[in-house]
Amino acid sequence: MRDMGEMKAVLFDRYGPPEVLYVGRRPVPGIGPDEVLVRVRAAGVNGGDLHDRTGKVRLVTGRAFPKGCGIDFAGEVAGVGASVRGVREGRRVWGLLGRRTGSMAEYVAVSPRRIAPAPDNLTPEEAVSLLAGATTALTALRDKAALQPGERLLVRGGSGGVGSVAVQVGRVLGARVVALAGGRNLDFVRGLGAEEALDHRTTALSALGRFDVVLDTVGTEQARVRRLLAPGGRMVAVAPDLDRPLAWLGTVLGSAVHGKGRIRFFSGNPDSALLAEAARLAEHGDIVPVVDTVHPLDGVADAQRALAAGGVRGKHVVRVR
């Protein structure tokens, strides 16, 4: 593929506060014969972006700089490798980079297994607000927990980027959804399909009753949350407690050995089939966009500050171009 010059990309040269983020320039990535080049229109702001930037997971991310930011994207195909079939230039797509970062850039090179046609009824900003949450919720609730119609589901963090979509997916799967969220977001969460929405600051866990499935998007106090499981209940955690990593790991591992209800933890890495399924749900109106705020590319630091401050309704999104 011909050299396409340089592109804008969000970068950081050291671990630190949001101020370390800047918009720099990098070469547009070349693609191999089995890759696709995507022109990115929008990217999501995820909790993992904050951990990457602060260095909380530096044992994984390492000390090579500069680093990119972002894992999910929506845009259109700008180039197709010679060995790729079934993908055409100009097609609107959405996807994730897998185990790497850098979607907050004008272009990304990806495997065709990591993209799928984007929902036809959504803008790129709307689409990317659903992407990570929908694929995570489908994997957690349907595949890991085998959530059944009529079961009682607790979504902890019900107004966030994952939780707000998980509430909707739980409703689609026929569950009776209870969500914990901040007090000002309770009506918002009920509007997404929760039968009950309760303030996590004022509601005692002991007052919640028992649940067939618990989805935890927060990461803290999982040993206490696990006690809410009914006999045969299943708990899925999609966020680790990085402030107390050893204690958190001990809780997850210990749950498989003793006590009631093993905590299932996974780090999502969806393929094109799962992305296509999420797109179908969006196109049918079963799940709806949950955009909190759309930020410009040079406003990523503000977006990360807003996410870290809490109280988010859905997803902060970055408009790339």
Side-chain angles (χ1 to χ4, degrees), residues 220-245:
T220 60
E221 299 186 293
Q222 289 181 348
R224 291 184 60 213
V225 176
R226 177 178 168 235
R227 299 188 189 114
L228 300 176
L229 291 175
R234 294 87 69 198
M235 178 171 170
V236 184
V238 298
D241 185 351
L242 292 178
D243 291 324
R244 301 172 63 247

Side-chain angles (χ1 to χ4, degrees), residues 23 59 101-102 163 168 192 194 199 230 233 249:
V23 178
L59 290 178
T101 59
Q168 300 181 67
L192 296 174
D199 190 337
L249 183 61

